[in-house]
Amino acid sequence: MQKLKPALTALALAVISPLASTQALATDGYFSHGYGIRSQGAGGVGIALPQDSLVAASNPAGLSLVGDRLDIGASWFRPQREAEIENSPAPSANGKYSGNEREHFIIPEIGYSKRVSDVTTAGISVYGNGGMNTAYDRAIPLLGDRRAGVDLIQIFVKPTLSWQLTPTQYVGVGLNIAYQRFEAKGLSNFTATGLGQVSQSPNNVSDRGHDSSYGIGLHLGWLGQFIDQRLTLGASYQSKISTTDFDKYRGLFAEDGSFDIPENYGLGIAFKLTPSWTIASDIQRIRYSDVNSVGNSLNRLLSGQALGSDQGPGFGWRDVTVYKLGTVFAVNDQLTLRAGYNHTTQPIPRSETLFNILAPAVVQDHITLGATWKLANNNELSFSYAHAFENTVKGNNSIPTLFGGGDVNLKMHQDTFGVAYSWIL
């Protein structure tokens, strides 16, 4: 794998360079609130409500119900991130820090589906699974003497097959081919003496440029229709993806640079109240804590666990449960309207806000709107808007005594506007 890494990097960037250069997500933790412009306009639902070929990202079985189509879209994403340090014994550390040196991002997506037999549909999709970007306006003294920030993307290229088992029962499988890219800046204090035990390779903690990582996993799905096809139920399971290490950041992430993609699973339900009006809901569980570099507490430094060690410190994230509610209403043959709500439990404990200056993914509640207009040539133009309400996590003894004590408060809100064009084939 190490010998193949330069070639894989070049191939990945050639295929997905638009996503790799622009993506920055932070909604349901660092997963997107929905996949596909239509899903994003309906609260992110998709496990039991297939709407386009990007449904493969939510439930591969749904590919059987969207027909032959090509969907190409992009979203404008604007996150607003802020950290505040208070009660630090170092006066120069106290104050507010803006993480918005870069605040506008374009996030593309592509999906394709084709029925290849009476019972089989094949497809492929390329989309951002999740990510994080922060770029602070000045150095944060608790972290280092340079401007701090991170740049993390996670992208899937997913070939998918779905099968119609009976007139109302479907299963699907997708191969999650994952690409990650990461960079960290401004953590020079973690190489200094007097801050506890740190990595045995301190020069690798930060400011090492971008590095890439790869992995493969499975995505399984089921979908069933009942009550004269008015009721649809769905289930989805994505395995944990053990990825190759970030070699440049062996001194930062636990297990010598490991940053796996967490297991997640969910259930969905959709019901047609009338032939024109559907309501749907998903519940999803994301197991962030099962990835050591994400779930381990920073306080492990106090017990002698070095950054980069097998059980080394991480961001201290908890598992989250995501609740999604969406509605779709066909006004007429040309116009379809959507709306939704998305809520996630808080991944960041109040005691873990110091390291999460780099990853302040504290938003919990989203409202969404969307619409699709069918054109004269039978193709379709779709729009979505999502607002993640401002949320603050106030630190509670979140700066360890090792760093002088005090607290860090994290704040974020977001806006996303998306557009997609669909060719009906």
Side-chain angles (χ1 to χ4, degrees), residues 143-150 182-191 199 201-210 247-253 307 355 358:
L143 302 181
D145 57 4
R146 297 182 181 181
R147 293 192 296 179
V150 296
F182 178 78
E183 181 181 25
K185 296 180 179 180
L187 303 179
S188 59
N189 280 4
F190 287 89
T191 70
S199 170
S201 301
N203 290 333
N204 289 339
V205 170
S206 70
D207 301 287
R208 304 292 294 173
H210 282 98
D247 293 334
K248 293 181 180 179
Y249 293 95
R250 290 184 177 275
L252 177 61
F253 290 136
L307 283 166
F355 221 31
L358 301 172

Side-chain angles (χ1 to χ4, degrees), residues 142-172:
L142 289 176
L143 302 181
D145 57 4
R146 297 182 181 181
R147 293 192 296 179
V150 296
D151 184 28
L152 168 69
I153 66 167
Q154 292 179 333
I155 297 171
F156 281 167
V157 178
K158 178 177 290 186
T160 303
L161 289 173
S162 65
W163 295 272
Q164 182 176 10
L165 302 180
T166 74
T168 59
Q169 301 292 312
Y170 308 85
V171 294

Side-chain angles (χ1 to χ4, degrees), residues 84-327:
E84 180 183 18
I85 298 173
E86 57 184 9
N87 302 320
S88 171
S92 62
N94 291 317
K96 295 182 179 180
Y97 301 83
S98 170
N100 303 316
E101 284 296 285
R102 183 181 181 191
E103 58 181 342
H104 300 284
F105 302 87
I106 302 298
I107 307 165
E109 62 182 29
I110 302 172
Y112 172 77
S113 65
K114 172 70 175 177
R115 197 169 186 91
V116 295
S117 77
D118 290 342
V119 297
T120 305
T121 300
I124 189 167
S125 50
V126 182
Y127 58 93
N129 179 55
M132 176 63 65
N133 177 283
T134 50
Y136 281 90
D137 57 347
R138 55 196 171 103
I140 300 174
L142 289 176
L143 302 181
D145 57 4
R146 297 182 181 181
R147 293 192 296 179
V150 296
D151 184 28
L152 168 69
I153 66 167
Q154 292 179 333
I155 297 171
F156 281 167
V157 178
K158 178 177 290 186
T160 303
L161 289 173
S162 65
W163 295 272
Q164 182 176 10
L165 302 180
T166 74
T168 59
Q169 301 292 312
Y170 308 85
V171 294
V173 58
L175 183 65
N176 287 332
I177 304 172
Y179 168 78
Q180 300 186 112
R181 192 177 71 173
F182 178 78
E183 181 181 25
K185 296 180 179 180
L187 303 179
S188 59
N189 280 4
F190 287 89
T191 70
T193 59
L195 292 184
Q197 187 179 8
V198 295
S199 170
Q200 298 302 311
S201 301
N203 290 333
N204 289 339
V205 170
S206 70
D207 301 287
R208 304 292 294 173
H210 282 98
D211 199 6
S212 298
S213 173
Y214 311 88
I216 297 177
L218 286 178
H219 187 178
L220 307 176
W222 164 81
L223 190 147
Q225 297 175 316
F226 307 90
I227 314 178
D228 297 325
Q229 299 183 349
R230 293 177 62 196
L231 173 67
T232 302
L233 302 177
S236 170
Y237 172 79
Q238 296 194 66
S239 65
K240 179 180 179 180
I241 300 178
S242 297
T243 60
T244 58
D245 294 339
F246 287 118
D247 293 334
K248 293 181 180 179
Y249 293 95
R250 290 184 177 275
L252 177 61
F253 290 136
E255 302 175 289
D256 290 325
S258 174
F259 201 92
D260 295 336
I261 298 173
E263 172 190 58
N264 61 95
Y265 45 86
L267 300 172
I269 182 171
F271 189 76
K272 282 186 173 292
L273 298 173
T274 72
S276 301
W277 186 14
T278 300
I279 59 172
S281 181
D282 291 353
I283 182 171
Q284 181 186 25
R285 186 72 170 168
I286 306 173
R287 298 193 61 198
Y288 289 120
S289 69
D290 195 40
V291 178
N292 285 344
S293 52
V294 178
N296 287 353
S297 171
L298 180 62
N299 287 320
R300 290 184 177 230
L301 278 175
L302 303 178
S303 61
Q305 295 288 346
L307 283 166
S309 65
D310 286 349
Q311 296 300 319
F315 291 92
W317 282 27
R318 298 175 290 209
D319 298 342
V320 301
T321 302
V322 185
Y323 304 91
K324 306 179 182 183
L325 178 65
T327 184

Side-chain angles (χ1 to χ4, degrees), residues 338-399:
R338 300 178 181 85
Y341 170 73
N342 179 298
H343 172 80
T344 182
T345 56
Q346 181 56 244
I348 301 175
R350 295 179 63 192
S351 60
E352 297 288 346
T353 56
L354 174 59
F355 221 31
N356 282 289
I357 290 174
L358 301 172
V362 298
V363 295
Q364 294 184 258
D365 296 285
H366 309 67
I367 57 167
T368 69
L369 298 171
T372 293
W373 182 259
K374 181 174 286 188
L375 305 173
N377 60 7
N378 206 38
N379 294 335
E380 297 167 341
L381 187 63
S382 298
F383 303 91
S384 69
Y385 170 74
H387 176 71
F389 291 96
E390 183 174 280
N391 192 45
T392 299
V393 171
K394 290 186 173 292
N396 182 15
N397 297 318
S398 59
I399 301 177

